[in-house]
C-alpha cells in the first residue's frame, strides 16, 4: 500500500535553513510527482513546489523561488525540501503529497510542524 | 499564477442540509479542479478530482461539478463528521494554487 512518511518536528531560528524529508513507498517512485504544501497557523493551504523523481525536474511557487529547493534520492525513494533564510512567517505545518494519475494529491504525509522563533 | 476564489469563506448548516461551495478560477482551467477536506490535526483528504470524479471511499453525498472557470462542491445531506474546511485546487498549471478555503460548521 502507498505510504508517505515525513521527518519530525523542527524548531529553527530566523535566518536558519530547514530540511524536511519525505519517504514514499508502495508504488513506482519515479512515476509520480511529489508536491509540498504548507499551512501557517490560522491560514489556508499554500502550494510550495513539486518534483518529478523520474527526471528530477522541479516547479516552485513564485514567492518561494530562490529560497526553496526540492531534491530526490531515488535509491531511498525520499524527497527533501530545503527552505533557507527562514523568517517567523515560515512557521507552519509542512506536508508532502503524491500526485494522483487522475489529478490532485491522493496520498499525504502526516505533516511536519515547524516553528521559527528567536 | 492562477487565482482561485472560493465562496463563502465559512458557513453554518444543520445535519441533513444540502451544502454548496463554489470555486472560481481566474482563467479557464478546463476540468483540472480538485476538492479537499481538511480537518485540524490531519492531512488534507482528496475528495474529488478532475472536477467531478469521486475518490474511492468518499461518501456519495459529496459531488462536484463545473468546468472552465466555475465549479461547485455539493454535500447533499450534511453529516456531523463533515465538519471541516474545504479547499479547491487547480492542477491546470504546473504551479498549483488553492482556494482560500470554506469552513463548514454544524
Amino acid at each position: 500500500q502507498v505510504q508517505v512518511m515525513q521527518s519530525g518536528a523542527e524548531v529553527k531560528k530566523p535566518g536558519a535553513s530547514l530540511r524536511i524529508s519525505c519517504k514514499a513507498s508502495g508504488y513506482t517512485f519515479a512515476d509520480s510527482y511529489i508536491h509540498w504544501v504548507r499551512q501557517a497557523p490560522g491560514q489556508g493551504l499554500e502550494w510550495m513546489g513539486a518534483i518529478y523523481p523520474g527526471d528530477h525536474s522541479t516547479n516552485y511557487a513564485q514567492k518561494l523561488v530562490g529560497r526553496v529547493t526540492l531534491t530526490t534520492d531515488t535509491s531511498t525513494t525520499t524527497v527533501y525540501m530545503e527552505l533557507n533564510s527562514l523568517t517567523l512567517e515560515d512557521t507552519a505545518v509542512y506536508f508532502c503529497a503524491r500526485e494522483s494519475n487522475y489529478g490532485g494529491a491522493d496520498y499525504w504525509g502526516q505533516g511536519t510542524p515547524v516553528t521559527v522563533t528567536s | 499564477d492562477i487565482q482561485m476564489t472560493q465562496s463563502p469563506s465559512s458557513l453554518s448548516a444543520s445535519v441533513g442540509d444540502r451544502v454548496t461551495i463554489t470555486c472560481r478560477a481566474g482563467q479557464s482551467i478546463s476540468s483540472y479542479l480538485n476538492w479537499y477536506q481538511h480537518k485540524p490535526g490531519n492531512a488534507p483528504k482528496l475528495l474529488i478530482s478532475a472536477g467531478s470524479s469521486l475518490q474511492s471511499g468518499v461518501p456519495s453525498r459529496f459531488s462536484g461539478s463545473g468546468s472552465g472557470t466555475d465549479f461547485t462542491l455539493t454535500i447533499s445531506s450534511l453529516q456531523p463528521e463533515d465538519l471541516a474546511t474545504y479547499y479547491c485546487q487547480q492542477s491546470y498549471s504546473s504551479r498549483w494554487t488553492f482556494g482560500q478555503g470554506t469552513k463548514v460548521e454544524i
Side-chain angles (χ1 to χ4, degrees):
Chain A
Q1 72 283 19
V2 176
Q3 289 188 319
V4 181
M5 295 294 295
Q6 299 180 223
S7 50
E10 301 265 10
V11 179
K12 296 289 184 180
K13 292 191 180 300
S17 292
L18 170 70
R19 191 190 198 210
I20 301 173
S21 67
C22 171
K23 181 173 175 58
S25 60
Y27 69 98
T28 303
F29 180 69
D31 289 352
S32 298
Y33 279 91
I34 294 288
H35 292 257
W36 288 83
V37 174
R38 67 181 179 178
Q39 183 179 38
Q43 304 299 310
L45 300 176
E46 177 187 15
W47 181 81
M48 300 178 67
I51 186 167
Y52 188 68
D55 62 7
H56 301 258
S57 60
T58 55
N59 275 304
Y60 300 121
Q62 188 62 43
K63 69 175 285 190
L64 294 174
V65 169
R67 277 216 302 142
V68 66
T69 303
L70 300 181
T71 57
T72 183
D73 182 345
T74 53
S75 67
T76 60
T77 65
T78 301
V79 171
Y80 298 92
M81 189 282 295
E82 183 165 350
L83 185 64
N84 55 37
S85 303
L86 292 172
T87 71
L88 301 181
E89 287 66 45
D90 293 314
T91 294
V93 178
Y94 289 74
F95 295 98
C96 63
R98 185 192 81 157
E99 180 175 335
S100 164
N101 289 336
Y102 306 101
D106 57 356
Y107 288 92
W108 292 68
Q110 77 275 24
T112 297
V114 173
T115 303
V116 182
T117 177
S118 54
Chain B
D1 291 350
I2 299 175
Q3 185 170 358
M4 307 299 294
T5 304
Q6 285 182 237
S7 61
S9 56
S10 65
L11 66 90
S12 181
S14 301
V15 172
D17 283 354
R18 182 181 183 89
V19 169
T20 298
I21 298 168
T22 63
C23 178
R24 174 163 289 177
Q27 67 179 72
S28 177
I29 57 170
S30 185
S31 294
Y32 291 90
L33 191 283
N34 311 298
W35 290 98
Y36 299 84
Q37 177 189 67
H38 192 200
K39 298 181 179 181
N42 290 348
K45 176 183 179 181
L46 180 63
L47 298 176
I48 289 170
S49 62
S52 60
S53 295
L54 198 66
Q55 291 297 108
S56 174
V58 174
S60 59
R61 63 180 180 273
F62 291 93
S63 64
S65 64
S67 66
T69 60
D70 295 313
F71 300 86
T72 300
L73 172 70
T74 300
I75 309 173
S76 61
S77 178
L78 192 68
Q79 299 301 303
E81 60 267 31
D82 299 335
L83 169 70
T85 300
Y86 294 83
Y87 294 90
C88 63
Q89 171 255 317
Q90 64 80 20
S91 51
Y92 178 85
S93 166
S94 58
R95 287 179 166 172
W96 289 5
T97 44
F98 287 89
Q100 78 275 21
T102 296
K103 186 174 184 179
V104 173
E105 299 171 310
I106 300 173

